[in-house]
């Protein structure tokens, strides 16, 4: 039995759609698959539909960012209820913060001579979560992409 419980789609920092991920899992003869995008459950419904079509047991998940001992850590949630209002409120707060941070970084990069960082990142991103995640995770300590 093949089980893969930690996967990201283009709703966070992956490059494939949820449907493409499920199809790839099927090609690799995966029996159990979880989609665990960073701080969003947006791709879970389409992944579940495709998994059901292809006969893969699907586990809805999410990777939640958290602070612990002054460090950012990621907590994997498996078998989550995507309709849980407390979970969705917390994820929305993470998404809003990431958006704010991306805009702040883009302004800083603009001040350092990197023009249009936010727009350039948005142009290559597939989703809103993807561009904020991409900008926020690909800026080094000097503010370079």
């Amino acid at each position: 039995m093949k089980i893969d419980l930690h996967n990201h789609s283009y709703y966070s920092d992956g490059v494939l759609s949820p449907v493409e991920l499920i199809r790839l899992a099927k090609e690799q003869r995966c029996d159990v698959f979880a989609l665990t995008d960073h701080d969003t459950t947006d791709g879970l419904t389409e992944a579940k539909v495709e998994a059901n079509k292809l006969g893969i047991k699907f586990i809805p998940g999410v990777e939640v960012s958290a602070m612990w001992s002054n460090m950012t850590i990621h907590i994997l949630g498996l078998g989550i209820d995507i309709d849980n209002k407390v979970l969705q409120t917390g994820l929305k707060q993470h998404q809003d913060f990431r958006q704010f941070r991306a805009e702040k970084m883009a302004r800083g990069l603009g001040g350092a001579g990197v023009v249009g960082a936010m727009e350039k990142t948005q142009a290559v991103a597939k989703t809103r979560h993807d561009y904020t995640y991409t900008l926020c995770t690909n800026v080094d300590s000097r503010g370079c992409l």
Side-chain angles (χ1 to χ4, degrees), residues 122-141:
Q122 287 172 326
V124 297
K126 301 216 183 330
T127 68
R128 175 169 121 31
H129 303 298
D130 181 30
Y131 84 77
T132 59
Y133 193 85
T134 300
L135 183 59
C136 290
T137 57
N138 289 298
V139 175
D140 68 17
S141 61

Side-chain angles (χ1 to χ4, degrees), residues 2 9 13 18 20 34 41 43 45-46 52 58 61 67 70 73-74 79 83 88 93 97 100-101 117 128-129 137 141:
K2 287 187 178 181
S9 74
D13 60 346
E20 290 169 323
T41 59
T45 301
E46 61 190 282
N52 288 344
F58 181 72
M67 292 299 293
N70 252 358
I73 62 169
H74 296 153
D83 296 319
Q88 292 301 331
Q93 288 173 343
F97 176 73
F100 170 78
R101 192 171 75 165
R128 175 169 121 31
H129 303 298
T137 57
S141 61

Side-chain angles (χ1 to χ4, degrees), residues 5-8 12-14 36-40 61-78 87 91 94-95 97-98 101 132-134 136-138:
L5 300 177
H6 188 186
N7 297 280
H8 300 280
S12 65
D13 60 346
T36 55
D37 280 317
H38 291 277
D39 302 319
T40 184
V62 67
E63 188 168 346
V64 180
S65 302
M67 292 299 293
W68 178 73
S69 293
N70 252 358
M71 296 182 311
T72 300
I73 62 169
H74 296 153
I75 302 166
L76 206 59
L78 296 170
L87 173 64
L91 295 177
H94 282 284
Q95 294 161 14
F97 176 73
R98 186 170 282 133
R101 192 171 75 165
T132 59
Y133 193 85
T134 300
C136 290
T137 57
N138 289 298

Side-chain angles (χ1 to χ4, degrees), residues 104-125:
K104 183 177 177 183
M105 285 181 182
R107 283 192 304 273
L109 289 168
V114 179
V115 179
M118 182 68 91
E119 294 78 11
K120 289 174 185 174
T121 305
Q122 287 172 326
V124 297

Side-chain angles (χ1 to χ4, degrees), residues 19 69 85 103 142:
V19 169
S69 293
K85 292 190 185 318
E103 290 168 358
R142 297 169 296 136

